[in-house]
Amino acid sequence: PSLLSSDCLTANIVKSHRETCQYRVEELQALRWKVFSREEVLAYQSKSVEEMWQRCAYRLTDSIQYVVEFAKRIDGFLELSQNDQIVLLKGGSLEVVLVRMCRSFNPDNGTVFFEGKYGGTEVFKSLGCNDLIASIFEFSQSLCALHLSEQEVALFTAVVLLNPERAWLQDKEKVARLHSHVDVAFKNTLQRSHRDTVLSKLSQKTLQLKSLCSLHIDRLRSFLELRPLLAHSLFPPLYHELFTDS
Ligand SMILES: CCS(=O)(=O)c1ccc(CC(=O)Nc2ccc(-c3ccc(CC(C)C)c(C#N)c3)c(C(F)(F)F)c2)cc1
């Protein structure tokens, strides 16, 4: 596309990101001093596995709904078939949330914003998914090290979302065209700010995202295998729809 249309797409994606991010980076950074006390951490650790899963699933579903709104505001997304819009969101919404989450991660003390305060991995101990939690924190830590600007987070999450390799896409070529427009816009933006080196590091991040999300599905499946009936009552319908083979 011409530079003009590429710049228009960049502006549209950055605007969509700003409008659909729940918290601004400034707000999240201003809250870094609010860290869970020893007692609050112990309270989380004495919660049941079910309750902790439910709280995390609700928080994630909340963030995912903002990602759905982000997608709908990206020029071209609503021109895709309903089927393909759902395939892209089913495959990419958690990936986008996990990238966005790095904005709420404090690399100085390894804490993340959760339910109003910052806490370390120990907050999530009762989940019984220490490997997944540890990987999420490592991912956030490594993404923070890239010092992505909001513009870069916006464009990177749009590239992650519009992945033409998602299984079950009907019009793969149409998604591939939209993906390449966003990719060109992202590359132009990075080149202009002499940030080309970030591109190669981000491609590794997409591989880590893929394994994080399949680990999430694995842990969810084994959690539900032990409590087959619980899923419908425990989790928000959208979470159930996105992450189980319901
Ligand atoms: C994302 C937009 S934002 O405005 O930056 C924003 C907007 C809101 C928040 C607060 C927030 O919801 N933090 C939170 C929520 C859930 C989780 C979490 C917990 C456990 C799991 C594994 C479990 C399902 C087995 C997963 C996964 N997968 C994710 C986390 C964190 F990943 F850190 F543990 C943090 C933080 C920033």
Side-chain angles (χ1 to χ4, degrees):
S2 74
L3 217 51
L4 183 75
S5 70
S6 179
D7 287 352
C8 284
L9 184 55
T10 296
N12 158 253
I13 288 168
V14 172
K15 181 172 181 290
S16 305
H17 172 78
R18 280 195 200 295
E19 291 168 349
T20 63
C21 234
Q22 289 163 283
Y23 295 88
R24 287 183 292 96
V25 190
E26 300 76 23
E27 288 170 319
L28 289 165
Q29 292 191 342
L31 288 163
R32 283 184 172 185
W33 60 274
K34 286 187 84 172
V35 180
F36 285 120
S37 67
R38 192 93 206 92
E39 295 72 30
E40 287 169 319
V41 172
L42 289 173
Y44 275 117
Q45 293 179 340
S46 54
K47 289 186 186 311
S48 69
V49 180
E50 290 79 8
E51 184 181 344
M52 210 51 204
W53 264 90
Q54 181 169 47
R55 284 172 179 250
C56 297
Y58 265 89
R59 295 273 58 77
L60 281 176
T61 305
D62 197 31
S63 295
I64 286 169
Q65 284 171 313
Y66 284 87
V67 171
V68 172
E69 196 48 44
F70 169 62
K72 288 165 65 178
R73 296 179 191 211
I74 295 174
D75 290 342
F77 183 81
L78 290 177
E79 278 64 52
L80 299 171
S81 70
Q82 281 265 345
N83 172 79
D84 287 359
Q85 291 175 34
I86 289 165
V87 163
L88 292 179
L89 283 164
K90 209 167 155 68
S93 58
L94 182 60
E95 291 185 355
V96 171
V97 167
L98 291 174
V99 172
R100 286 180 160 198
M101 279 288 172
C102 77
R103 298 155 77 252
S104 71
F105 185 78
N106 182 353
D108 303 334
N109 59 8
T111 61
V112 74
F113 189 59
F114 176 74
E115 294 192 341
K117 289 190 179 179
Y118 277 78
T121 54
E122 67 279 2
V123 164
F124 303 98
K125 203 165 150 202
S126 58
L127 277 175
C129 301
N130 296 340
D131 54 345
L132 174 53
I133 293 297
S135 308
I136 291 170
F137 274 63
E138 279 155 33
F139 177 78
S140 293
Q141 185 93 36
S142 69
L143 209 50
C144 279
L146 300 181
H147 300 107
L148 296 179
S149 66
E150 278 298 274
Q151 201 173 33
E152 290 162 346
V153 172
L155 288 161
F156 179 48
T157 50
V159 167
V160 163
L161 192 66
L162 298 168
N163 181 346
E165 299 312 315
R166 299 287 181 206
W168 312 113
L169 281 173
Q170 279 166 345
D171 191 344
K172 185 173 167 171
E173 286 64 43
K174 192 169 183 184
V175 176
R177 274 196 304 278
L178 188 49
H179 179 262
S180 74
H181 289 174
V182 178
D183 215 29
V184 163
F186 190 26
K187 286 188 174 92
N188 288 345
T189 305
L190 289 174
Q191 267 147 19
R192 258 184 235 146
S193 48
H194 312 295
R195 291 268 294 168
D196 315 55
T197 51
V198 153
L199 260 184
S200 60
K201 291 173 193 151
L202 284 177
S203 55
Q204 292 159 22
K205 297 295 156 225
T206 31
L207 288 175
Q208 284 174 302
L209 273 175
K210 199 167 150 66
S211 71
L212 276 181
C213 291
S214 34
L215 193 53
H216 165 256
I217 298 279
D218 283 348
R219 292 291 171 282
L220 175 60
R221 197 169 284 138
S222 33
F223 172 80
L224 290 179
E225 256 154 29
L226 300 171
R227 311 161 179 84
L229 298 182
L230 217 53
H232 289 277
S233 58
L234 201 59
F235 297 143
L238 179 60
Y239 183 88
H240 200 262
E241 180 58 41
L242 286 172
F243 304 120
T244 66
D245 314 321
S246 55

